[in-house]
Amino acid sequence: MALLRCRGLRKEFGGHVVLDQLDLTVAEHQVVALIGASGSGKSTLLRCVNLLDELDDGTIELDGVDISDPRVDPDQVRRRIGMVFQAYNLFPHLSVLDNITLAPRRVHRRGRAEAEAQARELLDRVGLGAKADAYPDRLSGGQQQRVAIVRALANSPRLMLLDEVTSALDPELVGEVLAMIRDLKADGMTMVLATHEMGFAREVADEVCFLDAGRVVESGPPEQVLGEPTQPRTRQFLRRIIEAGRL
Amino acid sequence: MTLLDHVPSEAQLRRSAYRRRQTVYSVLVAAFSTAALGTLLVIAVTGAPGWDRVRRSFLDPEIARDALPTVLSGLWLNVRLLVCCAVGALLLGLLVAVLRTLRGPVFFPVRALAAGYTYTFRGLPLIIVLYLLTLGVPGLRLQGMPPVLVLGGIALVLTYGGYLAEVFRAGIESVHPSQLAAARSLGLSYRQTMRHVVLPQAVRRVAPPLLNDVVALQKDVGLVSLAGPIDAVRAAQIATAQTFNYTPYVVAGVLFVLLAIPLIAVTDWVTLRAARRQSGG
């Protein structure tokens, strides 16, 4: 059954159409990779699904419930969706541990001890146990992004939205973050990830969607979309990626 | 960082020796120019034709000693008033700044009121607010009217609250929208986001200008003496009127500077720390 179903999404920014009649369906435990040039609408789509941006048309269903209905409490929706940003967006005034326990304690009203125990366990699992009391500015980009993923996981989300989570990283730090996402897939996490890492999309995604001008131009298994694209715009995009040495 | 077993090269030794010589030279130049300027100033002031008269009427040590106790007791009033008004104005400023950020039609009157307040009280001269509160309000002859000192304190809080509210608001607006997006995406409500993510960062960032306004407030608390209470400046004025000598004013001025030094030092330290934190990130 579909965990997330987007139908006819439309979003405009100042007369510019960013999402145009966009449809997307994500089944439970499925990993969907969104690819496409900058400005094709990948980030806007993720922000709309998390209700950070308001839709101009269309509906979004999560677990069969229309979350684009304005009567739905967006805070209730967001605590079931984890989101990770390109620029990590950790809270610089809080330690790693406090970054992770903020939502469990304030949103889910867990006790400090319980929330911290859970956070330490998650940190240990990704090899960052020693960094629990450090502040974000003492961590490398890769470590910060892994903490950001842990922070989103601490809410036990149904769905993870990853917005170009490796784009701001130095090349040698990309691997540690991708390894973590690979583990999430192995655990059965449902994910939608916007990415420029074509090799990773091919490896981890069950489905790849190529976005152009706010529409899904082509979608299907990675081997098909990345290997034998049928649409001219997909081919053109992939050719440029290959020329840039990214595939 | 050099390792312990590192032996500096010939070139590095020559560079270090050159830099040491330059440092000694700089210190000598600074000492000489300071001494020269100081001597010139002393000669210019003490050599002035009216110096003896000025010294007698502004720097009389005997009068200074006599005036010190009353000026000091006046200063105690300044200190107490400063602490109360600073706390009050900071709380009011923070409250108004947060009210101005509220969104939604329900809060329109609150936003309008908060905006109107900062416009009015930043434009209105403090002396007029003081007169309105300490002379006008008691004129209403209401039951349970607070003493004039409290009314004067309220005038100070209202005026400085307006400035501090704008400083807090600048801090709130300086927090990047991506921080809000991250907090909201975790399911935190607007209030929780403000309380746990935005305000802690905003207050840290604007701590130096906030403290700077408190230093300014320290000088303005004395204006309550316009309504009767005797602060340090008023005490000095009374002593001056009794002796026909201006030395008490100088005493009060020196005490004010001494009082401001710790506060200014704290401000500088906080500013420095904030700058380090930012460059360290």
Side-chain angles (χ1 to χ4, degrees), chain B residues 27-52:
Chain B
V27 169
L28 285 177
V29 168
F32 177 76
S33 69
T34 308
L37 187 65
T39 314
L40 270 178
L41 269 174
V42 168
I43 291 170
V45 172
T46 58
W51 167 243
D52 274 335

Side-chain angles (χ1 to χ4, degrees), chain A residues 50 52 75 78-79 81 83 85 89-93 102-103 106-107 109 137 151 155, chain B residues 178-179 181-190 192 196-197 200-201 204 277 280-281:
Chain A
N50 207 11
L52 290 172
D75 295 335
R78 291 193 195 108
R79 63 183 67 170
I81 302 178
M83 183 148 183
F85 301 85
N89 298 7
L90 293 179
F91 306 128
H93 62 295
L102 182 64
R106 305 296 166 189
V107 178
R109 302 269 161 218
D137 61 357
R151 181 174 71 175
N155 264 353
Chain B
S178 64
Q179 288 284 308
R184 298 311 295 276
S185 80
L186 288 169
L188 269 71
S189 67
Y190 182 81
Q192 290 172 322
H196 297 290
V197 175
Q201 294 186 59
R204 250 165 261 216
R277 266 195 82 89

Side-chain angles (χ1 to χ4, degrees), chain B residues 3 18 38-40 53 64 69 103-104 110 126 148 155 167 187 232 240 244 247 264 270 281:
Chain B
L3 291 168
Y18 174 75
T39 314
L40 270 178
R53 279 196 58 162
R103 294 282 158 258
V110 180
L126 173 58
V148 126
V167 176
T240 298
F244 304 106
T247 306
I264 293 171
V270 169

